[in-house]
Amino acid sequence: MATETEAGELLHQRGWRTAFTVTERVNAWAALVNVIERGYSDDIYEYTNDLYCRNWLHEAWVLLDEHIVQLWTPRIKALDDRYRAATDDDDGQALDQFHRLPGPDLWWWRRHPHILTGDLGRSLRSAGAIGTDPDAA
């Protein structure tokens, strides 16, 4: 099993743009979840790019030492729960119109935000997503 540094380097060698740390990717996931809860208004391409922080965590988890996994799992689970609460499961139908969906074990790709605002909201609604629109009030 790998240390955080070793996992980051290995994933970088596999194609990730840099040797991220668990802390960086957890913080990125937390920031994305926070924005989704308030209403993500950037465009669909920025959104799909942002979702990759969760992919990195998924890939790193099978590489990391058990004590690192045990240390971070409660935080990630809490963020995952918040993400699920702020999004709707549509089996990826809306996002699939803009980005090829990864495997079914990457469940966060099969959901879209409840709050559909800004560019992201317009794009997802055009693909059939249903949600609230604070801009329409």
Side-chain angles (χ1 to χ4, degrees):
M1 301 314 289
T3 66
E4 285 191 54
T5 302
E6 292 166 343
E9 286 296 331
L10 182 57
L11 290 173
H12 179 50
Q13 291 168 10
R14 291 182 183 175
W16 287 90
R17 67 179 160 86
T18 192
F20 294 111
T21 66
V22 174
T23 301
E24 289 171 328
R25 297 295 78 196
V26 169
N27 287 344
W29 184 230
L32 179 58
V33 170
N34 284 334
V35 172
I36 290 169
E37 289 171 332
R38 293 188 317 267
Y40 189 106
S41 60
D42 217 336
D43 68 35
I44 187 78
Y45 305 105
E46 193 64 31
Y47 180 72
T48 56
N49 184 62
D50 289 346
L51 283 177
Y52 277 96
C53 66
R54 186 62 180 84
N55 287 40
W56 189 95
L57 291 167
H58 180 78
E59 289 183 33
W61 241 234
V62 297
L63 304 172
L64 290 165
D65 290 330
E66 184 62 29
H67 75 278
I68 298 169
V69 170
Q70 289 176 358
L71 176 70
W72 284 102
T73 294
R75 172 94 164 113
I76 294 168
K77 183 181 179 330
L79 290 168
D80 287 351
D81 290 346
R82 286 176 50 201
Y83 178 80
R84 282 186 185 97
T87 58
D88 293 319
D89 185 350
D90 72 347
D91 200 30
Q93 291 180 26
L95 278 179
D96 193 37
Q97 302 295 314
F98 304 95
H99 189 283
R100 190 173 75 82
L101 294 181
D105 54 331
L106 305 183
W107 55 267
W108 49 95
W109 285 92
R110 285 162 173 68
R111 306 183 69 83
H112 65 77
H114 292 311
I115 300 172
L116 297 177
T117 189
D119 287 343
L120 178 66
R122 283 187 289 282
S123 294
L124 291 176
R125 271 194 300 288
S126 77
I130 297 171
T132 61
D133 182 1
D135 299 332

Tab-separated table of all heavy atoms in Angstrom, residues 1 14-15 22 28 36 40 49 52 59 63 66 74 77 87 92 99-100 105 107 112 115 120 123:
chain	number	residue	atom	x	y	z
A	1	MET	N	0.840	-1.180	0.000
A	1	MET	CA	0.000	0.000	0.000
A	1	MET	C	0.888	1.248	0.000
A	1	MET	O	2.021	1.217	0.418
A	1	MET	CB	-0.934	0.003	1.212
A	1	MET	CG	-1.879	-1.209	1.321
A	1	MET	SD	-2.765	-1.731	-0.156
A	1	MET	CE	-3.941	-0.468	-0.417
A	14	ARG	N	-0.122	7.974	-14.063
A	14	ARG	CA	-1.244	7.377	-14.809
A	14	ARG	C	-2.051	8.409	-15.589
A	14	ARG	O	-3.030	8.056	-16.226
A	14	ARG	CB	-2.172	6.638	-13.848
A	14	ARG	CG	-1.569	5.391	-13.262
A	14	ARG	CD	-2.568	4.699	-12.356
A	14	ARG	NE	-1.997	3.533	-11.731
A	14	ARG	CZ	-2.622	2.800	-10.822
A	14	ARG	NH1	-3.857	3.125	-10.439
A	14	ARG	NH2	-2.038	1.753	-10.293
A	15	GLY	N	-1.661	9.691	-15.491
A	15	GLY	CA	-2.320	10.679	-16.325
A	15	GLY	C	-2.944	11.873	-15.621
A	15	GLY	O	-3.380	12.815	-16.282
A	22	VAL	N	-4.230	13.804	-0.828
A	22	VAL	CA	-5.582	13.519	-0.363
A	22	VAL	C	-6.209	14.806	0.164
A	22	VAL	O	-7.373	15.112	-0.145
A	22	VAL	CB	-5.583	12.409	0.713
A	22	VAL	CG1	-6.972	12.227	1.298
A	22	VAL	CG2	-5.072	11.097	0.130
A	28	ALA	N	-11.035	19.999	-2.447
A	28	ALA	CA	-11.703	20.320	-3.713
A	28	ALA	C	-13.116	19.744	-3.731
A	28	ALA	O	-14.062	20.404	-4.177
A	28	ALA	CB	-10.891	19.788	-4.890
A	36	ILE	N	-22.408	23.497	-4.854
A	36	ILE	CA	-23.618	22.822	-5.343
A	36	ILE	C	-24.783	23.073	-4.395
A	36	ILE	O	-25.911	23.307	-4.837
A	36	ILE	CB	-23.362	21.311	-5.536
A	36	ILE	CG1	-22.427	21.094	-6.726
A	36	ILE	CG2	-24.667	20.550	-5.723
A	36	ILE	CD1	-21.910	19.674	-6.843
A	40	TYR	N	-24.687	25.916	-8.235
A	40	TYR	CA	-23.514	25.953	-9.106
A	40	TYR	C	-23.908	26.638	-10.405
A	40	TYR	O	-24.743	26.133	-11.142
A	40	TYR	CB	-23.026	24.526	-9.369
A	40	TYR	CG	-21.694	24.428	-10.066
A	40	TYR	CD1	-20.559	24.040	-9.366
A	40	TYR	CD2	-21.559	24.705	-11.423
A	40	TYR	CE1	-19.337	23.927	-9.992
A	40	TYR	CE2	-20.332	24.605	-12.057
A	40	TYR	CZ	-19.233	24.208	-11.337
A	40	TYR	OH	-18.002	24.098	-11.952
A	49	ASN	N	-15.471	18.991	-15.140
A	49	ASN	CA	-14.075	19.024	-14.727
A	49	ASN	C	-13.964	18.960	-13.206
A	49	ASN	O	-13.132	18.226	-12.659
A	49	ASN	CB	-13.400	20.285	-15.272
A	49	ASN	CG	-11.934	20.327	-14.948
A	49	ASN	OD1	-11.163	19.473	-15.365
A	49	ASN	ND2	-11.533	21.332	-14.179
A	52	TYR	N	-14.146	15.580	-11.307
A	52	TYR	CA	-12.991	14.681	-11.326
A	52	TYR	C	-12.235	14.640	-9.997
A	52	TYR	O	-11.501	13.686	-9.737
A	52	TYR	CB	-12.047	15.014	-12.485
A	52	TYR	CG	-12.500	14.373	-13.768
A	52	TYR	CD1	-13.254	15.085	-14.687
A	52	TYR	CD2	-12.197	13.040	-14.037
A	52	TYR	CE1	-13.694	14.502	-15.861
A	52	TYR	CE2	-12.625	12.442	-15.211
A	52	TYR	CZ	-13.373	13.176	-16.118
A	52	TYR	OH	-13.816	12.575	-17.278
A	59	GLU	N	-9.913	6.616	-7.127
A	59	GLU	CA	-8.738	5.891	-7.618
A	59	GLU	C	-7.660	5.747	-6.546
A	59	GLU	O	-7.001	4.710	-6.456
A	59	GLU	CB	-8.155	6.587	-8.848
A	59	GLU	CG	-9.029	6.455	-10.074
A	59	GLU	CD	-8.407	7.093	-11.302
A	59	GLU	OE1	-7.158	7.082	-11.430
A	59	GLU	OE2	-9.175	7.606	-12.134
A	63	LEU	N	-5.160	2.438	-3.490
A	63	LEU	CA	-3.695	2.481	-3.414
A	63	LEU	C	-3.176	2.805	-2.021
A	63	LEU	O	-2.074	2.415	-1.664
A	63	LEU	CB	-3.156	3.554	-4.380
A	63	LEU	CG	-3.547	3.442	-5.844
A	63	LEU	CD1	-3.081	4.684	-6.598
A	63	LEU	CD2	-2.974	2.176	-6.459
A	66	GLU	N	-3.939	1.610	4.733
A	66	GLU	CA	-5.214	1.469	5.447
A	66	GLU	C	-5.433	2.578	6.472
A	66	GLU	O	-6.546	3.076	6.621
A	66	GLU	CB	-5.288	0.094	6.121
A	66	GLU	CG	-6.594	-0.190	6.814
A	66	GLU	CD	-7.798	-0.201	5.865
A	66	GLU	OE1	-7.645	-0.519	4.681
A	66	GLU	OE2	-8.911	0.130	6.345
A	74	PRO	N	-14.374	8.985	7.033
A	74	PRO	CA	-15.533	9.683	7.611
A	74	PRO	C	-15.789	11.050	6.966
A	74	PRO	O	-16.942	11.409	6.710
A	74	PRO	CB	-15.176	9.816	9.093
A	74	PRO	CG	-14.193	8.730	9.351
A	74	PRO	CD	-13.419	8.594	8.076
A	77	LYS	N	-17.166	10.425	3.420
A	77	LYS	CA	-18.535	9.914	3.510
A	77	LYS	C	-19.505	11.052	3.830
A	77	LYS	O	-20.588	11.135	3.236
A	77	LYS	CB	-18.641	8.808	4.556
A	77	LYS	CG	-20.029	8.198	4.632
A	77	LYS	CD	-20.125	7.122	5.682
A	77	LYS	CE	-21.495	6.523	5.799
A	77	LYS	NZ	-22.644	7.332	5.485
A	87	THR	N	-28.291	16.806	-4.662
A	87	THR	CA	-28.398	16.416	-6.067
A	87	THR	C	-29.528	15.417	-6.261
A	87	THR	O	-30.026	14.833	-5.304
A	87	THR	CB	-27.080	15.781	-6.567
A	87	THR	OG1	-26.756	14.637	-5.749
A	87	THR	CG2	-25.929	16.767	-6.539
A	92	GLY	N	-27.535	9.646	-14.684
A	92	GLY	CA	-26.593	10.321	-15.555
A	92	GLY	C	-27.149	10.796	-16.885
A	92	GLY	O	-26.395	11.243	-17.740
A	99	HIS	N	-20.974	14.872	-21.558
A	99	HIS	CA	-19.726	14.232	-21.152
A	99	HIS	C	-19.962	12.732	-21.063
A	99	HIS	O	-20.922	12.296	-20.429
A	99	HIS	CB	-19.312	14.783	-19.774
A	99	HIS	CG	-17.949	14.374	-19.341
A	99	HIS	ND1	-17.673	13.128	-18.841
A	99	HIS	CD2	-16.773	15.054	-19.325
A	99	HIS	CE1	-16.398	13.052	-18.524
A	99	HIS	NE2	-15.831	14.216	-18.816
A	100	ARG	N	-19.087	11.956	-21.683
A	100	ARG	CA	-19.239	10.501	-21.614
A	100	ARG	C	-19.094	10.054	-20.160
A	100	ARG	O	-18.126	10.395	-19.484
A	100	ARG	CB	-18.182	9.813	-22.472
A	100	ARG	CG	-18.425	8.323	-22.651
A	100	ARG	CD	-17.461	7.731	-23.650
A	100	ARG	NE	-16.125	7.581	-23.119
A	100	ARG	CZ	-15.737	6.556	-22.365
A	100	ARG	NH1	-16.575	5.604	-22.036
A	100	ARG	NH2	-14.493	6.496	-21.918
A	105	ASP	N	-19.686	2.490	-11.053
A	105	ASP	CA	-19.256	2.628	-9.662
A	105	ASP	C	-18.951	4.087	-9.305
A	105	ASP	O	-18.851	4.425	-8.136
A	105	ASP	CB	-18.057	1.727	-9.355
A	105	ASP	CG	-16.889	1.930	-10.308
A	105	ASP	OD1	-17.117	2.313	-11.471
A	105	ASP	OD2	-15.740	1.680	-9.890
A	107	TRP	N	-20.728	6.814	-8.951
A	107	TRP	CA	-22.130	7.213	-8.809
A	107	TRP	C	-22.353	8.721	-8.891
A	107	TRP	O	-23.434	9.170	-9.266
A	107	TRP	CB	-22.704	6.675	-7.478
A	107	TRP	CG	-21.900	7.099	-6.291
A	107	TRP	CD1	-20.870	6.425	-5.695
A	107	TRP	CD2	-22.022	8.334	-5.580
A	107	TRP	NE1	-20.352	7.154	-4.657
A	107	TRP	CE2	-21.045	8.332	-4.562
A	107	TRP	CE3	-22.868	9.435	-5.691
A	107	TRP	CZ2	-20.891	9.390	-3.673
A	107	TRP	CZ3	-22.709	10.492	-4.810
A	107	TRP	CH2	-21.725	10.454	-3.814
A	112	HIS	N	-27.372	15.096	-10.678
A	112	HIS	CA	-27.215	16.510	-11.036
A	112	HIS	C	-27.771	17.357	-9.898
A	112	HIS	O	-28.616	16.901	-9.132
A	112	HIS	CB	-27.898	16.843	-12.371
A	112	HIS	CG	-29.383	16.684	-12.341
A	112	HIS	ND1	-30.229	17.607	-11.747
A	112	HIS	CD2	-30.177	15.707	-12.820
A	112	HIS	CE1	-31.474	17.195	-11.872
A	112	HIS	NE2	-31.470	16.050	-12.513
A	115	ILE	N	-30.541	22.466	-7.434
A	115	ILE	CA	-30.636	23.866	-7.815
A	115	ILE	C	-29.994	24.009	-9.193
A	115	ILE	O	-28.794	23.812	-9.359
A	115	ILE	CB	-29.924	24.776	-6.790
A	115	ILE	CG1	-30.561	24.630	-5.414
A	115	ILE	CG2	-29.958	26.227	-7.259
A	115	ILE	CD1	-29.795	25.336	-4.302
A	120	LEU	N	-24.851	26.217	-15.958
A	120	LEU	CA	-25.049	24.792	-15.697
A	120	LEU	C	-26.534	24.451	-15.699
A	120	LEU	O	-26.953	23.480	-16.326
A	120	LEU	CB	-24.418	24.375	-14.367
A	120	LEU	CG	-24.621	22.896	-14.006
A	120	LEU	CD1	-23.884	21.991	-14.986
A	120	LEU	CD2	-24.178	22.629	-12.583
A	123	SER	N	-27.952	24.403	-19.224
A	123	SER	CA	-27.495	23.222	-19.965
A	123	SER	C	-28.216	21.960	-19.500
A	123	SER	O	-28.691	21.175	-20.320
A	123	SER	CB	-25.985	23.036	-19.791
A	123	SER	OG	-25.278	24.096	-20.388
